mmCIF file of all heavy atoms in Angstrom:
data_model
loop_
_atom_site.group_PDB
_atom_site.id
_atom_site.type_symbol
_atom_site.label_atom_id
_atom_site.label_comp_id
_atom_site.label_asym_id
_atom_site.label_seq_id
_atom_site.Cartn_x
_atom_site.Cartn_y
_atom_site.Cartn_z
ATOM 1 N N ASN A 1 -18.778 132.535 146.739
ATOM 2 C CA ASN A 1 -18.182 131.778 147.833
ATOM 3 C C ASN A 1 -17.267 130.710 147.280
ATOM 4 O O ASN A 1 -17.437 130.258 146.153
ATOM 5 C CB ASN A 1 -19.273 131.168 148.752
ATOM 6 C CG ASN A 1 -19.991 130.012 148.070
ATOM 7 O OD1 ASN A 1 -20.218 130.056 146.893
ATOM 8 N ND2 ASN A 1 -20.342 129.003 148.844
ATOM 9 N N ALA A 2 -16.345 130.281 148.100
ATOM 10 C CA ALA A 2 -15.409 129.230 147.707
ATOM 11 C C ALA A 2 -15.855 127.915 148.355
ATOM 12 O O ALA A 2 -15.675 127.727 149.561
ATOM 13 C CB ALA A 2 -13.977 129.589 148.113
ATOM 14 N N THR A 3 -16.468 127.040 147.564
ATOM 15 C CA THR A 3 -16.919 125.777 148.080
ATOM 16 C C THR A 3 -15.730 124.824 148.253
ATOM 17 O O THR A 3 -14.912 124.669 147.361
ATOM 18 C CB THR A 3 -17.952 125.136 147.122
ATOM 19 O OG1 THR A 3 -19.058 126.025 146.983
ATOM 20 C CG2 THR A 3 -18.439 123.813 147.675
ATOM 21 N N GLU A 4 -15.673 124.190 149.427
ATOM 22 C CA GLU A 4 -14.617 123.170 149.642
ATOM 23 C C GLU A 4 -15.036 121.850 149.038
ATOM 24 O O GLU A 4 -16.099 121.309 149.349
ATOM 25 C CB GLU A 4 -14.404 122.964 151.153
ATOM 26 C CG GLU A 4 -13.660 124.079 151.849
ATOM 27 C CD GLU A 4 -13.260 123.678 153.280
ATOM 28 O OE1 GLU A 4 -13.586 122.545 153.704
ATOM 29 O OE2 GLU A 4 -12.625 124.502 153.975
ATOM 30 N N PHE A 5 -14.183 121.288 148.209
ATOM 31 C CA PHE A 5 -14.367 119.923 147.680
ATOM 32 C C PHE A 5 -13.242 119.058 148.211
ATOM 33 O O PHE A 5 -12.092 119.425 148.091
ATOM 34 C CB PHE A 5 -14.383 119.907 146.165
ATOM 35 C CG PHE A 5 -15.616 120.535 145.576
ATOM 36 C CD1 PHE A 5 -15.714 121.869 145.259
ATOM 37 C CD2 PHE A 5 -16.765 119.723 145.369
ATOM 38 C CE1 PHE A 5 -16.844 122.409 144.709
ATOM 39 C CE2 PHE A 5 -17.927 120.260 144.822
ATOM 40 C CZ PHE A 5 -17.969 121.594 144.511
ATOM 41 N N TYR A 6 -13.609 117.900 148.778
ATOM 42 C CA TYR A 6 -12.604 117.012 149.349
ATOM 43 C C TYR A 6 -12.000 116.136 148.266
ATOM 44 O O TYR A 6 -12.726 115.478 147.514
ATOM 45 C CB TYR A 6 -13.220 116.157 150.434
ATOM 46 C CG TYR A 6 -12.215 115.375 151.251
ATOM 47 C CD1 TYR A 6 -11.331 116.023 152.107
ATOM 48 C CD2 TYR A 6 -12.122 114.000 151.161
ATOM 49 C CE1 TYR A 6 -10.358 115.337 152.832
ATOM 50 C CE2 TYR A 6 -11.188 113.304 151.879
ATOM 51 C CZ TYR A 6 -10.296 113.958 152.712
ATOM 52 O OH TYR A 6 -9.365 113.269 153.448
ATOM 53 N N ARG A 7 -10.676 116.096 148.185
ATOM 54 C CA ARG A 7 -9.978 115.332 147.167
ATOM 55 C C ARG A 7 -9.236 114.138 147.718
ATOM 56 O O ARG A 7 -8.454 113.494 146.999
ATOM 57 C CB ARG A 7 -9.027 116.243 146.401
ATOM 58 C CG ARG A 7 -9.680 117.452 145.714
ATOM 59 C CD ARG A 7 -10.889 117.071 144.904
ATOM 60 N NE ARG A 7 -11.445 118.199 144.139
ATOM 61 C CZ ARG A 7 -12.662 118.219 143.639
ATOM 62 N NH1 ARG A 7 -13.486 117.192 143.855
ATOM 63 N NH2 ARG A 7 -13.075 119.270 142.936
ATOM 64 N N GLY A 8 -9.407 113.830 148.982
ATOM 65 C CA GLY A 8 -8.787 112.675 149.593
ATOM 66 C C GLY A 8 -7.499 112.973 150.282
ATOM 67 O O GLY A 8 -6.827 113.989 150.001
ATOM 68 N N GLN A 9 -7.149 112.159 151.267
ATOM 69 C CA GLN A 9 -5.895 112.272 152.024
ATOM 70 C C GLN A 9 -5.729 113.663 152.629
ATOM 71 O O GLN A 9 -4.624 114.227 152.665
ATOM 72 C CB GLN A 9 -4.705 111.934 151.120
ATOM 73 C CG GLN A 9 -4.728 110.516 150.570
ATOM 74 C CD GLN A 9 -3.535 110.182 149.723
ATOM 75 O OE1 GLN A 9 -2.923 111.051 149.116
ATOM 76 N NE2 GLN A 9 -3.194 108.889 149.684
ATOM 77 N N GLY A 10 -6.811 114.186 153.120
ATOM 78 C CA GLY A 10 -6.788 115.492 153.817
ATOM 79 C C GLY A 10 -6.672 116.692 152.915
ATOM 80 O O GLY A 10 -6.560 117.835 153.404
ATOM 81 N N GLN A 11 -6.761 116.496 151.593
ATOM 82 C CA GLN A 11 -6.609 117.625 150.660
ATOM 83 C C GLN A 11 -7.971 118.195 150.261
ATOM 84 O O GLN A 11 -8.904 117.465 149.929
ATOM 85 C CB GLN A 11 -5.892 117.145 149.387
ATOM 86 C CG GLN A 11 -4.490 116.591 149.669
ATOM 87 C CD GLN A 11 -3.591 117.617 150.349
ATOM 88 O OE1 GLN A 11 -3.448 118.754 149.860
ATOM 89 N NE2 GLN A 11 -3.014 117.198 151.458
ATOM 90 N N VAL A 12 -8.075 119.549 150.329
ATOM 91 C CA VAL A 12 -9.296 120.225 150.019
ATOM 92 C C VAL A 12 -9.069 121.230 148.884
ATOM 93 O O VAL A 12 -8.066 121.940 148.896
ATOM 94 C CB VAL A 12 -9.826 120.970 151.268
ATOM 95 C CG1 VAL A 12 -11.032 121.846 150.918
ATOM 96 C CG2 VAL A 12 -10.233 119.968 152.363
ATOM 97 N N GLU A 13 -9.952 121.250 147.907
ATOM 98 C CA GLU A 13 -9.851 122.225 146.798
ATOM 99 C C GLU A 13 -11.009 123.223 146.963
ATOM 100 O O GLU A 13 -12.150 122.845 147.255
ATOM 101 C CB GLU A 13 -9.987 121.499 145.443
ATOM 102 C CG GLU A 13 -9.934 122.467 144.269
ATOM 103 C CD GLU A 13 -10.153 121.730 142.950
ATOM 104 O OE1 GLU A 13 -10.453 120.517 142.964
ATOM 105 O OE2 GLU A 13 -10.035 122.388 141.900
ATOM 106 N N HIS A 14 -10.715 124.502 146.748
ATOM 107 C CA HIS A 14 -11.713 125.550 146.813
ATOM 108 C C HIS A 14 -12.172 125.984 145.403
ATOM 109 O O HIS A 14 -11.305 126.323 144.572
ATOM 110 C CB HIS A 14 -11.201 126.755 147.589
ATOM 111 C CG HIS A 14 -10.939 126.458 149.045
ATOM 112 N ND1 HIS A 14 -9.779 125.934 149.495
ATOM 113 C CD2 HIS A 14 -11.731 126.620 150.148
ATOM 114 C CE1 HIS A 14 -9.840 125.747 150.810
ATOM 115 N NE2 HIS A 14 -11.014 126.180 151.229
ATOM 116 N N VAL A 15 -13.486 125.937 145.155
ATOM 117 C CA VAL A 15 -14.013 126.251 143.859
ATOM 118 C C VAL A 15 -15.189 127.229 144.043
ATOM 119 O O VAL A 15 -16.115 126.917 144.797
ATOM 120 C CB VAL A 15 -14.510 125.006 143.113
ATOM 121 C CG1 VAL A 15 -15.124 125.380 141.774
ATOM 122 C CG2 VAL A 15 -13.384 124.007 142.941
ATOM 123 N N ASP A 16 -15.175 128.374 143.355
ATOM 124 C CA ASP A 16 -16.295 129.273 143.427
ATOM 125 C C ASP A 16 -17.334 128.840 142.370
ATOM 126 O O ASP A 16 -17.506 129.405 141.310
ATOM 127 C CB ASP A 16 -15.880 130.733 143.156
ATOM 128 C CG ASP A 16 -16.974 131.724 143.573
ATOM 129 O OD1 ASP A 16 -18.156 131.359 143.465
ATOM 130 O OD2 ASP A 16 -16.639 132.825 144.044
ATOM 131 N N GLN A 17 -18.042 127.751 142.747
ATOM 132 C CA GLN A 17 -18.967 127.118 141.827
ATOM 133 C C GLN A 17 -20.155 128.034 141.560
ATOM 134 O O GLN A 17 -20.699 128.097 140.439
ATOM 135 C CB GLN A 17 -19.423 125.793 142.420
ATOM 136 C CG GLN A 17 -20.251 124.938 141.500
ATOM 137 C CD GLN A 17 -20.622 123.613 142.136
ATOM 138 O OE1 GLN A 17 -21.232 123.591 143.198
ATOM 139 N NE2 GLN A 17 -20.213 122.508 141.518
ATOM 140 N N ARG A 18 -20.573 128.800 142.596
ATOM 141 C CA ARG A 18 -21.743 129.645 142.456
ATOM 142 C C ARG A 18 -21.483 130.715 141.377
ATOM 143 O O ARG A 18 -22.315 130.896 140.447
ATOM 144 C CB ARG A 18 -22.078 130.289 143.785
ATOM 145 C CG ARG A 18 -23.362 131.080 143.823
ATOM 146 C CD ARG A 18 -23.600 131.626 145.228
ATOM 147 N NE ARG A 18 -23.791 130.542 146.199
ATOM 148 C CZ ARG A 18 -23.827 130.708 147.514
ATOM 149 N NH1 ARG A 18 -23.601 131.897 148.007
ATOM 150 N NH2 ARG A 18 -24.026 129.693 148.312
ATOM 151 N N THR A 19 -20.363 131.436 141.486
ATOM 152 C CA THR A 19 -20.085 132.444 140.487
ATOM 153 C C THR A 19 -19.850 131.837 139.109
ATOM 154 O O THR A 19 -20.239 132.419 138.086
ATOM 155 C CB THR A 19 -18.851 133.266 140.903
ATOM 156 O OG1 THR A 19 -19.081 133.816 142.200
ATOM 157 C CG2 THR A 19 -18.571 134.407 139.942
ATOM 158 N N ALA A 20 -19.194 130.676 139.048
ATOM 159 C CA ALA A 20 -18.941 130.018 137.770
ATOM 160 C C ALA A 20 -20.254 129.700 137.061
ATOM 161 O O ALA A 20 -20.397 129.893 135.833
ATOM 162 C CB ALA A 20 -18.101 128.768 138.004
ATOM 163 N N TRP A 21 -21.237 129.187 137.801
ATOM 164 C CA TRP A 21 -22.509 128.828 137.167
ATOM 165 C C TRP A 21 -23.243 130.071 136.695
ATOM 166 O O TRP A 21 -23.822 130.082 135.589
ATOM 167 C CB TRP A 21 -23.383 128.041 138.151
ATOM 168 C CG TRP A 21 -22.956 126.614 138.335
ATOM 169 C CD1 TRP A 21 -21.782 126.045 137.926
ATOM 170 C CD2 TRP A 21 -23.672 125.583 138.966
ATOM 171 N NE1 TRP A 21 -21.758 124.707 138.267
ATOM 172 C CE2 TRP A 21 -22.916 124.386 138.921
ATOM 173 C CE3 TRP A 21 -24.925 125.530 139.575
ATOM 174 C CZ2 TRP A 21 -23.350 123.181 139.447
ATOM 175 C CZ3 TRP A 21 -25.380 124.315 140.146
ATOM 176 C CH2 TRP A 21 -24.564 123.147 140.057
ATOM 177 N N ILE A 22 -23.240 131.117 137.518
ATOM 178 C CA ILE A 22 -23.918 132.358 137.118
ATOM 179 C C ILE A 22 -23.260 132.926 135.847
ATOM 180 O O ILE A 22 -23.940 133.347 134.908
ATOM 181 C CB ILE A 22 -23.886 133.387 138.256
ATOM 182 C CG1 ILE A 22 -24.790 132.913 139.385
ATOM 183 C CG2 ILE A 22 -24.354 134.760 137.773
ATOM 184 C CD1 ILE A 22 -24.682 133.739 140.689
ATOM 185 N N ALA A 23 -21.950 132.886 135.813
ATOM 186 C CA ALA A 23 -21.209 133.415 134.628
ATOM 187 C C ALA A 23 -21.530 132.606 133.376
ATOM 188 O O ALA A 23 -21.719 133.169 132.300
ATOM 189 C CB ALA A 23 -19.691 133.383 134.884
ATOM 190 N N GLU A 24 -21.658 131.294 133.512
ATOM 191 C CA GLU A 24 -22.013 130.466 132.359
ATOM 192 C C GLU A 24 -23.377 130.856 131.807
ATOM 193 O O GLU A 24 -23.575 131.004 130.605
ATOM 194 C CB GLU A 24 -22.048 128.985 132.743
ATOM 195 C CG GLU A 24 -20.724 128.262 132.665
ATOM 196 C CD GLU A 24 -20.926 126.764 132.665
ATOM 197 O OE1 GLU A 24 -21.398 126.222 131.631
ATOM 198 O OE2 GLU A 24 -20.644 126.120 133.680
ATOM 199 N N VAL A 25 -24.357 130.988 132.686
ATOM 200 C CA VAL A 25 -25.698 131.313 132.247
ATOM 201 C C VAL A 25 -25.765 132.690 131.588
ATOM 202 O O VAL A 25 -26.280 132.858 130.494
ATOM 203 C CB VAL A 25 -26.706 131.238 133.436
ATOM 204 C CG1 VAL A 25 -28.089 131.711 133.003
ATOM 205 C CG2 VAL A 25 -26.774 129.819 133.993
ATOM 206 N N VAL A 26 -25.183 133.688 132.268
ATOM 207 C CA VAL A 26 -25.278 135.050 131.771
ATOM 208 C C VAL A 26 -24.527 135.242 130.475
ATOM 209 O O VAL A 26 -24.996 135.886 129.522
ATOM 210 C CB VAL A 26 -24.765 136.017 132.853
ATOM 211 C CG1 VAL A 26 -24.626 137.432 132.288
ATOM 212 C CG2 VAL A 26 -25.691 136.026 134.058
ATOM 213 N N ARG A 27 -23.350 134.629 130.364
ATOM 214 C CA ARG A 27 -22.451 134.924 129.242
ATOM 215 C C ARG A 27 -22.568 133.926 128.075
ATOM 216 O O ARG A 27 -22.291 134.289 126.921
ATOM 217 C CB ARG A 27 -20.994 134.970 129.729
ATOM 218 C CG ARG A 27 -20.747 136.126 130.682
ATOM 219 C CD ARG A 27 -19.412 136.043 131.355
ATOM 220 N NE ARG A 27 -19.216 137.198 132.262
ATOM 221 C CZ ARG A 27 -18.174 137.295 133.106
ATOM 222 N NH1 ARG A 27 -17.231 136.332 133.130
ATOM 223 N NH2 ARG A 27 -18.067 138.356 133.895
ATOM 224 N N GLN A 28 -22.987 132.698 128.371
ATOM 225 C CA GLN A 28 -23.034 131.688 127.319
ATOM 226 C C GLN A 28 -24.421 131.316 126.895
ATOM 227 O O GLN A 28 -24.600 130.585 125.901
ATOM 228 C CB GLN A 28 -22.252 130.445 127.775
ATOM 229 C CG GLN A 28 -20.779 130.719 128.066
ATOM 230 C CD GLN A 28 -20.062 129.440 128.491
ATOM 231 O OE1 GLN A 28 -20.311 128.363 127.993
ATOM 232 N NE2 GLN A 28 -19.114 129.601 129.421
ATOM 233 N N ALA A 29 -25.441 131.720 127.641
ATOM 234 C CA ALA A 29 -26.825 131.360 127.306
ATOM 235 C C ALA A 29 -27.736 132.574 127.436
ATOM 236 O O ALA A 29 -28.681 132.575 128.222
ATOM 237 C CB ALA A 29 -27.315 130.237 128.208
ATOM 238 N N PRO A 30 -27.463 133.626 126.673
ATOM 239 C CA PRO A 30 -28.304 134.834 126.784
ATOM 240 C C PRO A 30 -29.755 134.631 126.391
ATOM 241 O O PRO A 30 -30.602 135.454 126.708
ATOM 242 C CB PRO A 30 -27.589 135.838 125.826
ATOM 243 C CG PRO A 30 -26.842 134.975 124.862
ATOM 244 C CD PRO A 30 -26.419 133.780 125.643
ATOM 245 N N GLU A 31 -30.033 133.519 125.715
ATOM 246 C CA GLU A 31 -31.407 133.246 125.313
ATOM 247 C C GLU A 31 -32.280 132.830 126.506
ATOM 248 O O GLU A 31 -33.519 132.888 126.434
ATOM 249 C CB GLU A 31 -31.451 132.148 124.232
ATOM 250 C CG GLU A 31 -31.085 130.738 124.737
ATOM 251 C CD GLU A 31 -29.589 130.502 124.837
ATOM 252 O OE1 GLU A 31 -28.815 131.438 124.610
ATOM 253 O OE2 GLU A 31 -29.194 129.357 125.125
ATOM 254 N N LEU A 32 -31.647 132.433 127.600
ATOM 255 C CA LEU A 32 -32.406 132.051 128.796
ATOM 256 C C LEU A 32 -32.842 133.272 129.558
ATOM 257 O O LEU A 32 -32.093 134.228 129.731
ATOM 258 C CB LEU A 32 -31.542 131.147 129.698
ATOM 259 C CG LEU A 32 -31.154 129.788 129.189
ATOM 260 C CD1 LEU A 32 -30.221 129.110 130.165
ATOM 261 C CD2 LEU A 32 -32.387 128.935 128.930
ATOM 262 N N LYS A 33 -34.095 133.254 130.029
ATOM 263 C CA LYS A 33 -34.595 134.329 130.883
ATOM 264 C C LYS A 33 -34.077 134.053 132.301
ATOM 265 O O LYS A 33 -34.478 133.075 132.913
ATOM 266 C CB LYS A 33 -36.112 134.360 130.836
ATOM 267 C CG LYS A 33 -36.686 134.745 129.480
ATOM 268 C CD LYS A 33 -38.204 134.725 129.523
ATOM 269 C CE LYS A 33 -38.781 135.079 128.166
ATOM 270 N NZ LYS A 33 -40.288 135.031 128.137
ATOM 271 N N PHE A 34 -33.178 134.909 132.742
ATOM 272 C CA PHE A 34 -32.448 134.648 133.988
ATOM 273 C C PHE A 34 -32.857 135.692 135.047
ATOM 274 O O PHE A 34 -32.981 136.875 134.758
ATOM 275 C CB PHE A 34 -30.962 134.734 133.740
ATOM 276 C CG PHE A 34 -30.111 134.638 134.980
ATOM 277 C CD1 PHE A 34 -30.004 133.434 135.691
ATOM 278 C CD2 PHE A 34 -29.424 135.779 135.442
ATOM 279 C CE1 PHE A 34 -29.205 133.376 136.830
ATOM 280 C CE2 PHE A 34 -28.629 135.704 136.596
ATOM 281 C CZ PHE A 34 -28.532 134.505 137.271
ATOM 282 N N TRP A 35 -33.026 135.194 136.280
ATOM 283 C CA TRP A 35 -33.224 136.101 137.430
ATOM 284 C C TRP A 35 -32.159 135.822 138.477
ATOM 285 O O TRP A 35 -31.886 134.650 138.797
ATOM 286 C CB TRP A 35 -34.600 135.878 138.073
ATOM 287 C CG TRP A 35 -34.830 136.813 139.252
ATOM 288 C CD1 TRP A 35 -35.353 138.057 139.209
ATOM 289 C CD2 TRP A 35 -34.527 136.548 140.629
ATOM 290 N NE1 TRP A 35 -35.431 138.624 140.468
ATOM 291 C CE2 TRP A 35 -34.901 137.716 141.361
ATOM 292 C CE3 TRP A 35 -33.981 135.460 141.325
ATOM 293 C CZ2 TRP A 35 -34.738 137.807 142.750
ATOM 294 C CZ3 TRP A 35 -33.810 135.576 142.678
ATOM 295 C CH2 TRP A 35 -34.182 136.731 143.395
ATOM 296 N N GLY A 36 -31.569 136.888 139.017
ATOM 297 C CA GLY A 36 -30.635 136.733 140.130
ATOM 298 C C GLY A 36 -29.287 137.331 139.813
ATOM 299 O O GLY A 36 -29.168 138.363 139.146
ATOM 300 N N GLY A 37 -28.250 136.663 140.300
ATOM 301 C CA GLY A 37 -26.880 137.180 140.158
ATOM 302 C C GLY A 37 -26.155 137.077 141.479
ATOM 303 O O GLY A 37 -26.614 136.455 142.437
ATOM 304 N N ILE A 38 -24.968 137.693 141.528
ATOM 305 C CA ILE A 38 -24.196 137.681 142.771
ATOM 306 C C ILE A 38 -24.459 138.945 143.539
ATOM 307 O O ILE A 38 -24.751 140.008 142.969
ATOM 308 C CB ILE A 38 -22.696 137.496 142.472
ATOM 309 C CG1 ILE A 38 -22.148 138.614 141.568
ATOM 310 C CG2 ILE A 38 -22.439 136.130 141.862
ATOM 311 C CD1 ILE A 38 -20.645 138.547 141.402
ATOM 312 N N VAL A 39 -24.363 138.857 144.838
ATOM 313 C CA VAL A 39 -24.595 139.995 145.749
ATOM 314 C C VAL A 39 -23.484 140.048 146.799
ATOM 315 O O VAL A 39 -22.788 139.056 147.016
ATOM 316 C CB VAL A 39 -25.972 139.911 146.441
ATOM 317 C CG1 VAL A 39 -27.100 139.971 145.446
ATOM 318 C CG2 VAL A 39 -26.068 138.611 147.267
ATOM 319 N N GLU A 40 -23.339 141.188 147.397
ATOM 320 C CA GLU A 40 -22.432 141.369 148.553
ATOM 321 C C GLU A 40 -21.020 140.866 148.234
ATOM 322 O O GLU A 40 -20.480 140.033 148.969
ATOM 323 C CB GLU A 40 -22.980 140.667 149.791
ATOM 324 C CG GLU A 40 -24.342 141.179 150.239
ATOM 325 C CD GLU A 40 -24.846 140.432 151.448
ATOM 326 O OE1 GLU A 40 -24.047 139.836 152.199
ATOM 327 O OE2 GLU A 40 -26.071 140.431 151.675
ATOM 328 N N VAL A 41 -20.455 141.362 147.180
ATOM 329 C CA VAL A 41 -19.099 140.982 146.799
ATOM 330 C C VAL A 41 -18.129 141.589 147.803
ATOM 331 O O VAL A 41 -18.055 142.797 147.957
ATOM 332 C CB VAL A 41 -18.745 141.427 145.367
ATOM 333 C CG1 VAL A 41 -17.329 140.985 145.023
ATOM 334 C CG2 VAL A 41 -19.763 140.872 144.391
ATOM 335 N N ASN A 42 -17.365 140.775 148.471
ATOM 336 C CA ASN A 42 -16.382 141.242 149.458
ATOM 337 C C ASN A 42 -15.262 141.978 148.722
ATOM 338 O O ASN A 42 -14.614 141.430 147.816
ATOM 339 C CB ASN A 42 -15.815 140.044 150.207
ATOM 340 C CG ASN A 42 -14.895 140.449 151.344
ATOM 341 O OD1 ASN A 42 -14.181 141.431 151.260
ATOM 342 N ND2 ASN A 42 -14.908 139.701 152.427
ATOM 343 N N PRO A 43 -15.038 143.268 149.067
ATOM 344 C CA PRO A 43 -13.998 144.035 148.344
ATOM 345 C C PRO A 43 -12.618 143.387 148.378
ATOM 346 O O PRO A 43 -11.853 143.524 147.417
ATOM 347 C CB PRO A 43 -13.986 145.365 149.087
ATOM 348 C CG PRO A 43 -15.340 145.477 149.721
ATOM 349 C CD PRO A 43 -15.689 144.088 150.084
#
């Protein structure tokens, strides 16, 4: 999902923080025992 972050003066930035965090864990910390992932990816 694209989380809206408010940057002031009516400006909003969209960041897919959820996917970014999952990617960090899976790809940069394989030593961690991880459960989960992303689901229902909109085509």
Side-chain angles (χ1 to χ4, degrees):
N1 72 323
T3 301
E4 286 190 0
F5 288 92
Y6 190 69
R7 302 311 187 199
Q9 299 181 333
Q11 300 301 307
V12 173
E13 179 185 5
H14 293 85
V15 178
D16 196 326
Q17 189 178 58
R18 187 177 295 170
T19 303
W21 284 13
I22 291 172
E24 273 197 73
V25 174
V26 170
R27 295 170 179 172
Q28 299 181 37
E31 71 280 4
L32 294 176
K33 295 179 181 178
F34 173 71
W35 180 88
I38 59 175
V39 296
E40 300 179 23
V41 181
N42 187 325

